[in-house]
């Protein structure tokens, strides 16, 4: 029976991952990476002949040998762990993909038929067997299944590790980003803004209102703005209520930094003037800058993401005999545009990039260093702040507004 197309993601959680790596198998795997001779002996000396004991209220236990685990807090420890689990994807079937970041592992597969469910379960069994073989155990209670189907109806497929059936969830925290089954990020934005607001009030309580402006500004940039920008390439969207919730954090922060009197006071400074005075950009403009930088990094460093698989530069023809084609600087997405995917990065970056002046596109296109890109992007968005940004009109906060008013007046 053919099922509705969806992707099932299986999240694995390794129990005490860094502490449970057995030394002997690790040293054997190092040799498969051609780490031998003196370097292998040095790593062997680094790992072996370690001892540990517990001290409580002045009393200590006997020293015991440490036979497993890579030293944490070191640069070499995580590297050794990654080498140890590097062959895990080899036990998966062809259409099942794997993503590993340190000890966070997930596998995912498009589910188009019952056979895909069977294949994914076989992959789970293979990973469990791999863990047993190499001395790593999974915390089964924390291993989850996340079906992703956009706005389609979700078919719940039951997967298990051994005799334990994995819990099926509708949201999952994936490296700090809340991924939902419907591919909407409302919960991520709500959670993020609440966290940022708590952090802002922590800054206010710690520094007070009489601290130097520079200290308050730097604290906001470091401790608060970093929260509302983390992972924005994934979750950034066009919904006005989300834009307003995120921008409200910076509105409150600028009020605090400048000790701004209430809005009904004759000395009240409006939001746009506060941004200019503090040399800040609206958060929505900064997210566009981050989108453009990521696009150019992907364009020049294919190891990030082959972005041209999703969007490409259009080609225009000329009547010149010696030059029939020229690569244009405008983008055109290759993906089908659906309401459920209109806020996805390929569609978004296409609109943002095409909104830039052509001379700026020409300058940016060959660049690959983020700091150099910012030298051109930041002045452009500052000029846009002066000429275009209206604090009371969220349509002016993004270059890709698609509301009924902007959609028909952009041309």
């Amino acid at each position: 029976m053919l099922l509705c197309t969806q992707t099932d993601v299986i999240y694995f959680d390794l129990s005490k991952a860094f502490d449970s790596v057995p030394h002997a198998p690790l040293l054997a795997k190092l040799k498969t990476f051609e780490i031998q001779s003196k370097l292998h002996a040095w790593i062997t000396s680094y790992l072996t002949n370690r001892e540990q004991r517990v001290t409580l209220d002045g009393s200590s236990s006997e020293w015991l040998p440490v036979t497993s685990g890579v030293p944490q807090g070191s640069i070499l420890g995580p590297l050794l762990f990654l080498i140890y689990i590097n062959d895990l994807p080899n036990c998966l079937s062809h259409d099942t993909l794997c993503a590993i970041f340190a000890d966070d592992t997930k596998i995912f597969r498009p589910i188009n038929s019952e056979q895909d469910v069977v294949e994914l379960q076989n992959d789970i069994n293979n990973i469990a067997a791999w863990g047993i073989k190499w001395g790593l155990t999974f915390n089964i209670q924390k291993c989850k299944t996340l079906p992703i189907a956009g706005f389609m109806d979700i078919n719940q497929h039951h997967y298990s590790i051994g005799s334990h059936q994995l819990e099926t969830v509708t949201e999952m925290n994936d490296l700090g980003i809340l991924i939902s089954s419907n591919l909407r990020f409302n919960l991520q934005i709500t959670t993020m803004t609440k966290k940022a607001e708590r952090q802002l009030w922590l800054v206010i309580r710690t520094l007070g209102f009489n601290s130097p402006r520079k200290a308050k500004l730097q604290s906001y940039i470091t401790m608060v703005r970093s929260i509302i920008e983390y992972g924005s390439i994934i979750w950034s969207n066009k919904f006005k209520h989300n834009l307003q919730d995120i921008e409200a954090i910076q509105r409150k922060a600028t009020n605090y930094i400048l000790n701004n009197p209430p809005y009904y006071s004759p000395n009240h400074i409006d939001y746009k003037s506060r941004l200019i005075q503090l040399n800040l950009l609206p958060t929505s403009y900064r997210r566009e800058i981050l989108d453009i930088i990521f696009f150019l990094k992907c364009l020049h460093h294919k190891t990030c993401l082959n972005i041209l698989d999703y969007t490409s530069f259009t080609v225009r023809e000329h009547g010149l005999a010696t030059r029939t084609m020229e690569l244009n600087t405008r983008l055109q997405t290759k993906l089908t545009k659906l309401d459920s995917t209109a806020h996805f990065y390929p569609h978004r970056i296409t609109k943002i990039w095409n909104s830039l002046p052509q001379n700026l596109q020409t300058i940016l296109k060959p660049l690959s260093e983020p700091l150099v890109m910012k030298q051109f992007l930041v002045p452009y968005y500052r000029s846009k702040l002066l000429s275009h940004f209206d604090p009371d009109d969220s349509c002016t906060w993004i270059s890709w507004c698609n509301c009924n008013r902007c959609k028909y007046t952009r041309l």
Side-chain angles (χ1 to χ4, degrees):
M1 180 182 67
L2 189 66
L3 304 176
C4 293
T5 301
Q6 68 181 49
T7 298
D8 284 352
V9 186
I10 312 297
Y11 288 87
F12 293 92
D13 184 89
L14 285 167
S15 299
K16 299 180 179 179
F18 284 79
D19 294 329
S20 57
V21 175
H23 292 161
L26 171 60
L27 293 171
K29 281 193 174 185
L30 290 176
K31 292 184 178 180
T32 65
F33 287 87
E34 299 184 358
I35 299 176
Q36 300 177 7
S37 186
K38 293 182 179 180
L39 180 57
H40 190 274
W42 180 80
I43 296 176
T44 302
S45 176
Y46 176 70
L47 292 174
T48 56
N49 298 322
R50 290 176 174 268
E51 293 183 331
Q52 63 182 3
R53 68 176 180 177
V54 177
T55 299
L56 180 63
D57 294 334
S59 300
S60 301
S61 65
E62 295 182 0
W63 287 100
L64 293 174
V66 179
T67 58
S68 65
V70 292
Q72 297 188 43
S74 65
I75 296 175
L76 190 57
L79 176 61
L80 293 174
F81 179 79
L82 290 177
I83 291 175
Y84 192 71
I85 65 172
N86 186 66
D87 62 339
L88 185 150
N90 296 341
C91 64
L92 301 178
S93 56
H94 176 69
D95 291 328
T96 299
L97 301 177
C98 179
I100 300 175
F101 184 85
D103 59 336
D104 290 314
T105 302
K106 57 180 172 287
I107 62 173
F108 48 99
R109 182 187 182 98
I111 305 299
N112 298 310
S113 66
E114 295 285 0
Q115 183 59 32
D116 288 321
V117 177
V118 174
E119 290 289 342
L120 187 54
Q121 179 59 60
N122 290 337
D123 292 326
I124 295 171
N125 297 339
N126 291 338
I127 288 180
W130 177 91
I132 294 172
K133 177 181 178 181
W134 295 106
L136 298 177
T137 58
F138 293 99
N139 187 340
I140 300 179
Q141 300 298 329
K142 293 185 178 180
C143 296
K144 309 288 184 182
T145 301
L146 175 68
I148 297 178
F151 284 98
M152 297 183 298
D153 292 333
I154 292 176
N155 293 277
Q156 286 200 8
H157 310 122
H158 300 294
Y159 303 98
S160 60
I161 297 179
S163 59
H164 178 83
Q165 181 174 307
L166 300 182
E167 180 186 356
T168 300
V169 295
T170 55
E171 296 96 18
M172 192 69 190
N173 190 321
D174 193 334
L175 300 179
I177 303 296
L178 288 172
I179 307 296
S180 301
S181 291
N182 61 5
L183 294 178
R184 293 293 187 185
F185 292 96
N186 293 328
L187 182 60
Q188 161 67 21
I189 294 173
T190 300
T191 304
M192 174 193 67
T193 50
K194 287 181 179 178
K195 180 181 178 181
E197 190 163 14
R198 290 195 300 269
Q199 194 73 355
L200 176 60
W201 284 113
L202 175 63
V203 170
I204 294 173
R205 290 196 303 272
T206 304
L207 296 182
F209 287 89
N210 297 323
S211 297
R213 178 184 300 181
K214 185 177 180 180
K216 292 191 285 186
L217 176 60
Q218 190 60 46
S219 297
Y220 160 70
I221 291 173
T222 305
M223 301 179 65
V224 182
R225 193 175 70 181
S226 58
I227 295 175
I228 58 177
E229 288 183 350
Y230 175 74
S232 65
I233 294 165
I234 298 172
W235 54 257
S236 182
N237 64 50
K238 63 182 179 180
F239 299 111
K240 302 300 174 62
H241 64 282
N242 288 333
L243 296 175
Q244 292 164 353
D245 290 343
I246 299 170
E247 204 69 41
I249 301 296
Q250 186 159 272
R251 285 177 182 264
K252 295 176 183 177
T254 53
N255 277 325
Y256 160 66
I257 295 168
L258 293 174
N259 291 333
N260 194 29
Y263 68 92
Y264 49 80
S265 169
N267 297 322
H268 177 76
I269 308 171
D270 65 87
Y271 181 49
K272 182 174 180 178
S273 299
R274 298 199 300 270
L275 291 176
I276 296 171
Q277 191 169 338
L278 293 172
N279 202 23
L280 293 173
L281 289 174
T283 61
S284 53
Y285 284 9
R286 283 188 56 84
R287 289 196 299 276
E288 290 193 6
I289 291 175
L290 294 174
D291 279 348
I292 295 169
I293 290 174
F294 182 73
F295 167 71
L296 292 170
K297 287 172 65 177
C298 291
L299 187 65
H300 297 287
H301 305 287
K302 298 297 192 301
T303 52
C304 298
L305 173 71
N306 191 356
I307 192 65
L308 295 182
D309 286 343
Y310 305 94
T311 185
S312 62
F313 292 101
T314 58
V315 175
R316 60 186 179 188
E317 296 184 359
H318 298 269
L320 302 176
T322 58
R323 190 178 179 188
T324 58
M325 317 191 98
E326 180 183 348
L327 193 63
N328 201 353
T329 55
R330 290 186 63 81
L331 286 177
Q332 183 175 8
T333 183
K334 295 181 180 180
L335 300 179
T336 303
K337 185 177 178 181
L338 305 173
D339 288 340
S340 58
T341 61
H343 63 288
F344 283 10
Y345 180 74
H347 295 295
R348 190 172 74 244
I349 188 57
T350 299
K351 293 179 180 178
I352 294 172
W353 178 265
N354 290 340
S355 71
L356 299 176
Q358 188 167 6
N359 64 326
L360 183 57
Q361 293 174 348
T362 304
I363 293 172
L364 290 172
K365 189 176 174 183
L367 300 181
S368 59
E369 294 299 326
L371 291 178
V372 181
M373 301 174 202
K374 287 183 179 179
Q375 292 178 6
F376 296 97
L377 285 169
V378 171
Y380 166 73
Y381 276 96
R382 280 180 181 157
S383 66
K384 192 174 178 183
L385 167 65
L386 296 174
S387 62
H388 181 72
F389 183 78
D390 182 352
D392 299 320
D393 182 5
S394 54
C395 292
T396 67
W397 298 2
I398 52 177
S399 301
W400 43 291
C401 181
N402 201 34
C403 69
N404 290 333
R405 183 183 68 179
C406 297
K407 183 165 55 176
Y408 297 111
T409 59
R410 187 177 291 111
L411 297 177

